[in-house]
Amino acid sequence: LEWLDTLWMKNSPGPQAVKDSKTEFCRICRYSYIVSGPKYHASCRLVSATRTNLVAESESAFDGSLFSSYEGNPRYMVIRQGNPHSSGAESSQNPLVAPFMFLTKRSDSCLQCMLRFTDITSDAVGAGLTLPPGEISDGLLQISIPGPLLAQQQTVWTIGIDDANRAFTPKAITMIFLGNKGQMVNRLLNYTNLGGYQFPSRIEWTDSTLVATGTVQLISARLLEQVSDSVFRLDDELASAETIWDATQKKFIKQDSPRYLQMKAFVRSQPKIYDESADGAKLMADALDRANQEGKHVLIEFGANWCSGCHTLRLFLEANRNVAAELRKNYVVVMIDVNKGHNQDIVEKYGPTLFGLPTIAVSDMKGRKLTTQNVEELAAGDEYSPDKVMVFLKKWSPQK
């Protein structure tokens, strides 16, 4: 399969959204996916985006035993035995999976879990699941089933099926967050088939929680008579990679990247900013005590001492005079080490660190999480934007 995946955030879909200067973020990716039994090869190419710091090229492959992933910009590769939960080259909006997206594996206990076509075609698919009776609404048979916990909220899936069509071709699938009443609505359009398996060639979705919308448009789909085993390996990428991380052995087996060596030298020149032995819960309790006394909110920096980006963020927050003053005025800052799964309880409560490291979060003086922020969105090019950071800090400061 090949398809185009277009995402808009905080605007309405359509060609005008790309031209509209008020569009906060827009990106178009071209995906390809080859699958044979448990084996697959996935690739993602960035076609266009309103931000320049996105990965332009990523590949992943699984040959039945060894998984490989590759990012073209830094020429960085990860290999591991066994198939991981997800990879950057794969899309959760894969048209092959779309009719069964309500069988999602993603939950608070496994935020990285991804439903794959292999899962759909396995004997275990839907094991123990019985769809309840539905009700006719707007000409569709509407069925509701409970979903997993996400962001500590109960979810419910609703499936809209054309009752006159004997094939399982849902027209609409909606995931509803019961807590904040947000929802993600997926319209599955223009069904086609490969070997009798039916799937949509176009998906239109909206997410009221993220204020986002998008489309998936199938470009091509075909059955291959024969596929070489080499398709499910990244042999060329393995040869050209400058940095290779073996996730099974948990060590680098190649480190030739000038960028990596430069980052490593930078980290070595910096003092440790995270206490790797400290109890995050105790650090947070102390920060909340002080926040209550001073009428402030708590800014949490999740990171690790090996993380060059964490040092860069800390240097910026200290060096920029206006930002540092705003932090002193309205925030108690607490540094939480998350190296090797450290302080996972605090991460789950105030994170999660889905955006990578560093990640920042804000809580009020009672310890209630207000927001979790991807720090890349506070950047302008390769540097942090003082204006964006100040807007963020003022937005989440206590109202006095």
Side-chain angles (χ1 to χ4, degrees):
L1 263 66
E2 287 190 271
W3 67 90
L4 284 179
D5 184 312
T6 304
L7 163 70
W8 295 273
M9 293 192 74
K10 296 190 178 177
N11 211 312
S12 7
Q16 185 59 34
V18 182
K19 302 175 185 177
D20 192 341
S21 61
K22 295 181 180 179
T23 299
E24 181 169 307
F25 176 66
C26 175
R27 70 103 181 95
I28 302 174
C29 291
R30 184 183 181 111
Y31 285 93
S32 71
Y33 189 71
I34 303 172
V35 60
S36 177
K39 304 176 184 180
Y40 65 85
H41 183 142
S43 70
C44 175
R45 300 286 185 275
L46 184 67
V47 177
S48 63
T50 54
R51 275 171 37 197
T52 60
N53 61 342
L54 302 182
V55 175
E57 171 191 356
S58 58
E59 304 265 348
S60 66
F62 179 62
D63 66 2
S65 61
L66 181 69
F67 169 82
S68 308
S69 70
Y70 178 78
E71 292 186 2
N73 292 6
R75 295 170 70 178
Y76 180 85
M77 173 167 267
V78 174
I79 61 173
R80 61 169 291 170
Q81 292 294 324
N83 201 1
H85 297 309
S86 65
S87 75
E90 295 181 79
S91 168
S92 60
Q93 294 286 355
N94 186 332
L96 285 177
V97 175
F100 295 93
M101 65 175 70
F102 57 90
L103 296 176
T104 179
K105 293 182 169 184
R106 186 168 180 260
S107 67
D108 281 346
S109 60
C110 187
L111 289 169
Q112 302 295 326
C113 284
M114 174 180 289
L115 185 69
R116 292 189 169 100
F117 187 61
T118 302
D119 302 314
I120 301 301
T121 57
S122 72
D123 293 336
V125 63
L129 174 66
T130 300
L131 294 179
E135 297 181 356
I136 298 295
S137 176
D138 297 328
L140 294 179
L141 179 66
Q142 300 284 351
I143 298 173
S144 296
I145 61 172
L149 283 175
L150 272 176
Q152 298 182 344
Q153 296 185 65
Q154 184 62 56
T155 60
V156 170
W157 289 92
T158 64
I159 310 163
I161 306 172
D162 184 353
D163 196 32
N165 190 344
R166 292 186 176 275
F168 186 75
T169 53
K171 303 300 181 184
I173 301 179
T174 302
M175 184 182 71
I176 303 170
F177 286 92
L178 296 181
N180 62 15
K181 304 190 184 303
Q183 62 181 10
M184 181 174 181
V185 180
N186 303 272
R187 297 178 62 228
L188 281 56
L189 309 171
N190 306 335
Y191 271 81
T192 185
N193 78 87
L194 282 177
Y197 178 79
Q198 301 192 65
F199 59 95
S201 62
R202 182 175 176 84
I203 304 168
E204 298 175 354
W205 61 268
T206 58
D207 189 329
S208 63
T209 305
L210 296 177
V211 196
T213 186
T215 62
V216 172
Q217 181 62 56
L218 187 69
I219 299 173
S220 65
R222 59 195 177 104
L223 289 172
L224 304 175
E225 293 184 2
Q226 187 174 0
V227 183
S228 170
D229 285 342
S230 63
V231 169
F232 305 111
R233 299 192 303 267
L234 302 182
D235 295 336
D236 292 341
E237 290 80 2
L238 184 66
S240 64
E242 293 180 339
T243 305
I244 302 175
W245 170 255
D246 187 326
T248 303
Q249 300 184 50
K250 296 184 179 180
K251 68 177 183 179
F252 287 102
I253 58 176
K254 186 178 182 182
Q255 294 175 318
D256 296 339
S257 166
R259 179 172 175 270
Y260 171 79
L261 296 175
Q262 183 181 16
M263 289 167 54
K264 191 172 182 179
F266 167 68
V267 170
R268 284 178 173 173
S269 70
Q270 300 301 312
K272 289 187 175 182
I273 57 177
Y274 295 92
D275 187 343
E276 297 176 356
S277 63
D279 181 355
K282 177 67 165 56
L283 293 176
M284 194 67 197
D286 292 344
L288 289 171
D289 284 344
R290 183 180 159 195
N292 274 282
Q293 293 173 16
E294 301 177 8
K296 298 178 179 180
H297 284 170
V298 177
L299 182 85
I300 311 164
E301 291 182 48
F302 293 108
N305 288 315
W306 52 260
C307 166
S308 62
C310 301
H311 289 278
T312 301
L313 175 64
R314 179 91 307 261
L315 289 171
F316 168 80
L317 295 178
E318 292 175 348
N320 187 278
R321 183 177 301 176
N322 293 334
V323 170
E326 181 67 20
L327 282 172
R328 288 193 298 270
K329 178 182 177 183
N330 288 311
Y331 292 92
V332 175
V333 178
V334 59
M335 311 285 289
I336 303 294
D337 172 64
V338 298
N339 185 38
K340 297 181 179 180
H342 191 205
N343 294 315
Q344 189 62 30
D345 54 339
I346 300 299
V347 173
E348 291 176 358
K349 184 174 182 179
Y350 294 102
T353 55
L354 292 176
F355 314 117
L357 299 181
T359 289
I360 59 177
V362 176
S363 86
D364 64 14
M365 62 187 69
K366 294 184 181 298
R368 296 174 296 203
K369 184 178 81 169
L370 301 178
T371 187
T372 302
Q373 177 65 39
N374 179 0
V375 297
E376 288 187 357
E377 296 177 357
L378 303 179
D382 295 331
E383 298 180 351
Y384 288 109
S385 164
D387 291 340
K388 289 183 179 181
V389 173
M390 287 296 290
V391 168
F392 172 82
L393 293 177
K394 288 182 179 296
K395 177 180 179 180
W396 298 105
S397 65
Q399 302 300 314
K400 298 181 179 178

